[in-house]
Amino acid sequence: MATKLPSTSRSLPIALVRAREGVMSPIREMLSETSITEQQWRVLRVLTECGPLDSKTLADRASLLFPSLTRIVTTLNKGGLVTQTRDAADRRKQIVAITEVGKKIIDDHSEEAARIVVGFKSRLGPENYETLLDLLAMLDPANSDGDT
Amino acid sequence: MATKLPSTSRSLPIALVRAREGVMSPIREMLSETSITEQQWRVLRVLTECGPLDSKTLADRASLLFPSLTRIVTTLNKGGLVTQTRDAADRRKQIVAITEVGKKIIDDHSEEAARIVVGFKSRLGPENYETLLDLLAMLDPANSDGDT
DNA sequence: ATGGTTTCCTTAACTTATTAATCATTGCGA
DNA sequence: TCGCAATGATTAATAAGTTAAGGAAACCAT
């Protein structure tokens, strides 16, 4: 048999899946009032925070793979929540920007989203919350590989 | 504008997504040598650990939704990695069990999987690793809602 | 400038996630 | 026993994840 593996209840991948489910559940509930999905919300969030971005940066910041981003941005564009413009200097590149309609969706729900975040913070305790974010960052290859 | 939301770089959902990606990447690489997927691996892991289970319990332990489990178990069954038997007493219920072929896949890779786990443990430090699992458990609704 | 390479993006194909609807079996009350 | 609600499982529909392949624009060395 030789199962040197940890019990599934102490398995890091499974713990991450369950934690994500726990965190996303209320957020999904909030988004169910809107017409946008969790990933669309992430894209709009990043665009609100960073302003217009090229697709590569946008995919990176929103933690989405390129093919997913293509579909999501296309959908958002059809709904009038973002605009897609080709870079004049390099016509391979594409600049995605949020529209007023898109901004309104973020604004209309930012308070409730913030409340949800506060809820988790108080559940864990503020310092535990920060610790968790730090530990999670250590698992992100982008944070621990690139810079020594 | 009124964005009371945390910067996406300190956003819990995004941090969870990125951490999961970082953790799953080497595991996926390991599984690419086999014919099974990440979720199929989870199902086989749970069955190895708990023995034959009814679908409901299995879905819960593997953190999979029922419709996903239906497909995954069907696929695994076709491949001869698990068996599906209907409960004699209640023919609505279904019992899923791992086969010898399925067990062999787990056994053949349990050492490498354990090595991957050790790698993360040493990256975080053992006590940080345990702290992380504890904090993640606090986000799991199954752990904090049911029992006060 | 031309062929080859790289970069950016999109498609394609397959699997999974999520929600809702549907089917089958069971249990229960009139 | 006949309907009818409840339960377990599946199917359906749409969105997203993942890997690989394809297409267009830019770059680069000859």
Side-chain angles (χ1 to χ4, degrees):
Chain A
M1 17 164 299
T3 299
K4 301 163 177 56
L5 294 171
S7 156
T8 49
S9 59
R10 294 300 280 179
S11 155
L12 185 52
I14 290 180
L16 286 168
V17 170
R18 289 182 179 162
R20 187 168 126 69
E21 173 56 26
V23 170
M24 286 318 298
S25 177
I27 294 179
R28 254 198 295 275
E29 193 175 353
M30 171 191 82
L31 291 177
S32 69
E33 300 167 4
T34 76
S35 53
I36 70 174
T37 67
E38 172 193 333
Q39 286 78 2
Q40 293 171 355
W41 170 263
R42 280 219 301 273
V43 169
L44 295 181
R45 276 284 314 276
V46 171
L47 290 176
T48 301
E49 183 179 328
C50 305
L53 288 178
D54 65 280
S55 297
K56 190 158 232 167
T57 310
L58 179 54
D60 185 53
R61 300 268 172 92
S63 291
L64 291 169
L65 294 184
F66 236 92
S68 296
L69 184 68
T70 294
R71 272 186 309 237
I72 292 165
V73 168
T74 301
T75 303
L76 287 174
N77 190 2
K78 277 180 193 161
L81 305 187
V82 304
T83 58
Q84 296 170 280
T85 53
R86 291 208 106 68
D87 184 0
D90 184 343
R91 260 176 301 180
R92 290 172 303 183
K93 284 189 185 171
Q94 187 183 188
I95 306 296
V96 182
I98 191 169
T99 65
E100 287 305 319
V101 182
K103 266 182 202 159
K104 181 158 171 38
I105 292 183
I106 295 289
D107 284 350
D108 286 351
H109 295 84
S110 64
E111 287 189 21
E112 185 171 356
R115 263 197 303 276
I116 293 173
V117 172
V118 168
F120 284 114
K121 243 179 219 170
S122 69
R123 186 197 288 189
L124 294 182
E127 69 288 350
N128 276 341
Y129 189 86
E130 296 302 320
T131 302
L132 176 58
L133 284 175
D134 291 337
L135 293 176
L136 290 175
M138 293 175 71
L139 295 177
D140 183 359
N143 290 340
S144 31
D145 284 353
D147 49 280
T148 39
Chain B
M1 19 169 300
T3 298
K4 303 164 175 57
L5 295 172
S7 157
T8 49
S9 59
R10 295 297 281 179
S11 154
L12 186 53
I14 290 181
L16 286 169
V17 170
R18 289 181 179 164
R20 187 168 125 71
E21 172 55 26
V23 170
M24 287 318 297
S25 177
I27 294 179
R28 253 198 296 277
E29 193 174 354
M30 172 191 83
L31 291 177
S32 69
E33 302 167 3
T34 76
S35 51
I36 69 173
T37 67
E38 174 192 333
Q39 286 80 0
Q40 292 170 356
W41 170 263
R42 279 220 302 273
V43 169
L44 294 181
R45 276 283 314 276
V46 171
L47 289 177
T48 301
E49 183 179 327
C50 305
L53 288 178
D54 65 280
S55 298
K56 192 158 231 167
T57 309
L58 178 54
D60 185 53
R61 300 267 171 93
S63 291
L64 291 168
L65 293 183
F66 236 91
S68 297
L69 184 68
T70 294
R71 270 186 313 250
I72 291 166
V73 169
T74 302
T75 303
L76 288 173
N77 190 3
K78 278 179 192 162
L81 305 187
V82 302
T83 58
Q84 297 172 280
T85 53
R86 293 210 102 75
D87 184 2
D90 185 343
R91 261 177 302 181
R92 289 172 301 184
K93 285 189 185 171
Q94 186 181 192
I95 306 297
V96 182
I98 192 169
T99 65
E100 288 304 317
V101 182
K103 268 183 201 159
K104 182 160 170 38
I105 292 183
I106 296 288
D107 284 349
D108 287 351
H109 294 85
S110 65
E111 287 189 21
E112 185 171 357
R115 264 198 302 278
I116 294 173
V117 172
V118 169
F120 284 115
K121 245 181 219 171
S122 68
R123 185 196 289 188
L124 295 182
E127 69 289 352
N128 276 341
Y129 188 86
E130 296 302 319
T131 302
L132 175 58
L133 284 176
D134 291 338
L135 292 176
L136 289 175
M138 292 175 71
L139 295 176
D140 182 359
N143 291 340
S144 30
D145 281 356
D147 48 280
T148 41

